[in-house]
């Protein structure tokens, strides 16, 4: 009996030992870097916003988060360079900004303050057109543009954050398949918090 208990305890030990110590912070003075325990992997990423703002972040990672994402909604394009690793504090380095991608021949409908009648050229792995309703209280606008499959999947999983919710997310593979719709509210006031939520969904 004592032998059985001893073996059981020995078998349980590796699960505790295998947990990782990872760095967690958003760079550029936004948050102070700390160390945290992660059950799976450490993640390091550089997020490029409209090719002129780069944000570096380190946190815990999972297999579903360790993929590069790209989203272009006309007024703003976002791309990530993500790397995961599985040794203690392996995510302390800063990754390079995502490389510029070439147009892939696909186009999608996009929106601005005048409505959803424009188009945007997709680049790299942006093989889907995305369409979603962005809700803030009783107000709503449409977000449309090009996206990678991973960005579509991440957007579909975003819940309400700070009073802003992304609903009715649809991605399609056809050229200009995300049909145009009209809105009159300020696009930037509602869309910017949602984009930030999508990009940093891995920090939660």
């Amino acid at each position: 009996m004592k032998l059985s208990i001893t073996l059981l305890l020995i078998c349980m030990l590796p699960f505790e030992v295998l947990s990782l110590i990872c760095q967690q912070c958003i760079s550029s003075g936004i948050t102070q870097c700390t160390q945290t325990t992660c059950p799976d992997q450490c993640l390091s990423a550089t997020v490029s916003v409209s090719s002129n703002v780069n944000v570096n972040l380190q946190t815990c990672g999972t297999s579903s988060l360790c993929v590069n994402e790209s989203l272009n909604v006309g007024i703003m394009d976002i791309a990530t360079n993500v790397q995961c690793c599985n040794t203690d504090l392996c995510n302390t380095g800063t990754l390079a900004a995502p490389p510029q991608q070439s147009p892939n021949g696909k186009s999608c409908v996009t929106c601005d303050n005048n409505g959803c009648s424009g188009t945007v050229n997709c680049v790299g792995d942006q093989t889907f057109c995305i369409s979603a309703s962005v809700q803030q209280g009783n107000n709503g606008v449409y977000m449309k543009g090009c996206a990678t499959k991973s960005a579509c999947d991440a957007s579909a999983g975003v819940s309400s954050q700070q009073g802003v919710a992304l609903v009715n997310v649809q991605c399609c593979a056809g050229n200009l398949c995300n049909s145009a719709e009209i809105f009159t509210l300020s696009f930037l006031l509602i869309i910017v918090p949602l984009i930030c939520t999508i990009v940093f969904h891995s920090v939660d």
Side-chain angles (χ1 to χ4, degrees):
M1 183 66 174
K2 290 182 179 180
L3 178 61
S4 299
I5 294 174
T6 303
L7 289 174
L8 179 62
L9 291 174
I10 291 174
C11 290
M12 293 174 64
L13 284 175
F15 292 100
E16 182 69 24
V17 173
L18 287 175
S19 61
L20 295 172
I21 298 174
C22 302
Q23 181 164 284
Q24 181 168 282
C25 62
I26 300 176
S27 63
S28 304
I30 300 174
T31 62
Q32 198 76 355
C33 291
T34 59
Q35 293 182 5
T36 187
T37 301
C38 298
D40 192 1
Q41 301 178 71
C42 300
L43 179 148
S44 180
T46 294
V47 182
S48 176
V49 182
S50 297
S51 301
N52 53 28
V53 176
N54 293 322
V55 178
N56 307 112
L57 66 94
Q58 291 85 34
T59 187
C60 298
T62 63
S63 297
S64 62
L65 296 176
C66 298
V67 292
N68 292 326
E69 299 174 4
S70 178
L71 179 73
N72 187 346
V73 291
I75 62 169
M76 183 183 298
D77 64 274
I78 297 173
T80 63
N81 181 15
V82 181
Q83 184 176 21
C84 287
C85 51
N86 55 10
T87 58
D88 286 344
L89 296 175
C90 59
N91 66 332
T92 57
T94 300
L95 297 183
Q100 293 289 323
Q101 299 289 320
S102 301
N104 60 21
K106 185 181 183 68
S107 296
C108 298
V109 173
T110 190
C111 303
D112 58 23
N113 281 324
N114 297 317
C116 297
S117 57
T119 61
V120 62
N121 293 322
C122 305
V123 299
D125 295 331
Q126 295 174 350
T127 55
F128 287 84
C129 294
I130 189 170
S131 177
S133 176
V134 184
Q135 298 291 140
Q136 186 176 43
N138 294 325
N139 298 324
V141 297
Y142 292 101
M143 178 184 78
K144 295 178 181 289
C146 302
T148 58
K149 184 181 186 304
S150 54
C152 283
D153 294 341
S155 300
V158 170
S159 58
S160 178
Q161 297 286 335
Q162 299 179 342
V164 183
L166 191 64
V167 297
N168 300 324
V169 178
Q170 296 181 347
C171 287
C172 52
N175 207 42
L176 299 173
C177 60
N178 56 338
S179 60
E181 300 180 48
I182 302 300
F183 63 87
T184 57
L185 300 174
S186 175
F187 186 71
L188 279 173
L189 290 178
I190 295 181
I191 197 65
V192 170
L194 231 297
I195 296 295
C196 293
T197 300
I198 295 169
V199 171
F200 296 116
H201 70 281
S202 61
V203 178
D204 297 334

